[in-house]
């Protein structure tokens, strides 16, 4: 069968199955083979790899993944797409399609028999980008890398460093688990239907060990969230106003002093390693 990355083939397939795009599932299908090749190159896929594709749609990228990877698991929530995928992927015997919500799937269980390197590849549904990425990272899915198409602004937030306008809780969470690299920017006309936003391909290469040591990871992330919840407030107020944390003003002031920070310091200026140190200091004085 001719590839779905040819827009005419996508149009014919959609007509043949009378498929109606579902906005609520974030359905914007790729119609550009060059973009798909870029994603596959960024993910560095070979026959030794097992790929988990989130949201295969009608199978446009899955066709390329099946040709380059050893095996592909494609997890799609929309049951109306399943008969289409059976048709468009019928030439490949190394693809397993699973009709599930990725946020509910036990990925560890799914791949427990697999020996190859696991790599996650997806053109993500933008409405749930953050829960999907955070779920993969926090649950310690044994993936070597996660290469995904996301909204351009979200890619920039994941890659942002301390002090930049895009820096926030997502930057710190991603950078605790992985090294981000933006591989390409992708304009709306590469999708059907066209999204209202620009897109980017970002690769997150998992660390075998986080780049900073912290005694209580959960506490550090609570502090991080508290300090970005109230962007224009000081870090001191952010922590003291958080319902998830109960440190006194003195405890926070002392910890900041020990960290060598002024009491008016804002969360967005602290690096990951400073947040780790602050968390350890607060834990020590609790
Ligand atoms: N990979 C296809 C492509 O590039 O043409 C489709 C990408 S489209 C942006 C996102 C896909 O994710 C859609 O097929 C949508 O139905 C699916 N999806 C949305 N929410 C999902 C979820 N919670 N679990 C699994 N798939 C989901």
């Amino acid at each position: 069968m001719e590839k779905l990355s040819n827009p005419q083939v996508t149009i014919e397939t959609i007509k043949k199955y009378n498929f109606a795009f579902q906005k609520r599932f974030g359905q914007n299908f790729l119609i550009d083979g060059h973009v798909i090749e870029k994603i596959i190159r960024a993910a560095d896929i070979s026959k030794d790899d097992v790929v988990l594709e989130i949201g295969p749609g009608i199978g446009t990228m899955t066709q390329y993944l099946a040709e380059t990877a050893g095996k592909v698991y494609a997890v799609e929530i929309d049951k109306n797409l399943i008969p289409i995928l059976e048709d468009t992927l019928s030439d490949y015997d190394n693809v397993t399609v699973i009709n599930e919500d990725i946020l509910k799937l036990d990925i560890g269980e799914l791949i427990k028999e697999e020996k190859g390197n696991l790599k996650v590849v997806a053109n993500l549904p933008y409405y749930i980008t953050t829960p999907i990425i955070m779920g993969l990272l926090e649950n310690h899915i044994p993936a070597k890398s996660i290469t995904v198409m996301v909204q351009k602004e979200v890619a920039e937030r994941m890659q942002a460093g301390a002090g930049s306008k895009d820096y926030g809780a997502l930057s710190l969470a991603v950078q605790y688990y992985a090294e981000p690299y933006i591989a390409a920017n992708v304009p709306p006309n590469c999708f059907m239907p066209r999204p209202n936003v620009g897109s980017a391909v970002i690769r997150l290469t998992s660390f075998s060990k986080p780049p900073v040591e912290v005694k209580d990871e959960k506490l550090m992330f609570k502090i991080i969230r508290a300090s970005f919840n109230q962007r224009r407030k000081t870090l001191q107020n952010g922590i003291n106003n958080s319902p998830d944390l109960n440190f006194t003003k003195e405890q926070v002031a002392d910890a900041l002093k020990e960290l060598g920070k002024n009491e008016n310091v804002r969360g967005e200026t602290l690096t990951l390693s400073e947040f780790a140190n602050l968390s350890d200091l607060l834990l020590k004085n609790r």
Side-chain angles (χ1 to χ4, degrees):
M1 148 174 212
E2 208 190 330
K3 283 216 165 78
L4 293 155
S5 51
N6 174 343
Q8 209 45 48
V9 179
T10 285
I11 291 169
E12 281 163 18
T13 306
I14 281 165
K15 271 208 189 123
K16 178 173 162 194
Y17 287 91
N18 219 348
F19 176 75
F21 285 93
Q22 299 258 17
K23 240 194 156 139
R24 73 188 165 112
F25 287 145
Q27 292 175 342
N28 300 93
F29 298 162
L30 275 164
I31 46 164
D32 186 322
H34 297 296
V35 172
I36 299 175
E37 280 161 9
K38 268 192 202 167
I39 298 173
I40 306 247
R41 263 202 308 277
D44 192 22
I45 303 295
S46 78
K47 286 285 168 194
D48 295 331
D49 299 325
V50 175
V51 169
L52 169 65
E53 188 191 7
I54 300 164
I58 55 173
T60 316
M61 185 156 63
T62 327
Q63 294 181 328
Y64 286 74
L65 289 168
E67 283 170 9
T68 45
K71 204 160 176 183
V72 182
Y73 289 97
V75 180
E76 175 55 61
I77 197 170
D78 186 350
K79 67 174 187 333
N80 294 329
L81 287 167
I82 306 303
I84 307 183
L85 286 164
E86 273 163 22
D87 179 5
T88 59
L89 301 173
S90 60
D91 287 350
Y92 308 99
D93 58 10
N94 59 344
V95 182
T96 306
V97 174
I98 299 152
N99 185 200
E100 253 289 12
D101 177 347
I102 191 67
L103 296 177
K104 295 190 182 140
L105 185 74
D106 185 344
I107 298 167
E109 181 64 27
L110 178 72
I111 53 134
K112 72 170 193 271
E113 306 281 308
E114 295 295 344
K115 299 275 179 294
N117 292 324
L118 177 67
K119 292 179 178 168
V120 178
V121 182
N123 169 18
L124 285 180
Y126 293 173
Y127 74 107
I128 44 169
T129 300
T130 303
I132 292 178
I133 297 286
M134 291 318 301
L136 293 170
L137 296 172
E138 284 174 351
N139 296 328
H140 299 278
I141 301 302
K144 291 251 172 249
S145 61
I146 300 171
T147 305
V148 282
M149 177 89 70
V150 296
Q151 194 176 326
K152 185 166 178 282
E153 283 72 21
V154 177
E156 284 162 358
R157 271 163 48 204
M158 290 185 195
Q159 208 191 25
S164 97
K165 69 168 178 21
D166 299 321
Y167 188 60
L170 182 66
S171 328
L172 284 152
V174 163
Q175 292 166 31
Y176 181 71
Y177 295 104
E179 176 162 0
Y181 166 71
I182 296 182
N185 286 320
V186 181
N189 62 9
C190 297
F191 302 85
M192 185 188 296
R194 292 180 186 205
N196 298 325
V197 292
S199 302
V201 177
I202 189 163
R203 182 186 65 223
L204 310 177
T205 310
S206 313
F207 291 130
S208 47
K209 177 166 145 295
V212 301
E213 272 185 45
V214 62
K215 294 204 172 64
D216 184 342
E217 210 175 280
K218 285 213 169 81
L219 175 63
M220 177 178 76
F221 282 112
K222 278 185 190 164
I223 296 171
I224 289 173
R225 271 195 298 273
S227 70
F228 287 98
N229 265 348
Q230 300 180 303
R231 254 196 183 260
R232 254 149 286 147
K233 294 245 168 73
T234 62
L235 177 58
Q236 162 100 51
N237 282 339
I239 295 175
N240 284 129
N241 294 344
S242 163
D244 293 334
L245 298 166
N246 53 350
F247 295 105
T248 64
K249 277 213 165 324
E250 290 66 37
Q251 282 172 324
V252 179
D254 288 350
L256 285 176
K257 204 165 165 197
E258 240 184 285
L259 196 67
K261 296 287 171 190
N262 173 305
E263 61 187 24
N264 295 323
V265 71
R266 290 175 196 283
E268 59 260 39
T269 67
L270 262 65
T271 63
L272 176 60
S273 107
E274 287 172 328
F275 272 111
N277 290 341
L278 177 62
S279 168
D280 285 354
L281 286 168
L282 285 167
L283 188 70
K284 186 181 81 183
N285 298 337
R286 181 140 70 179

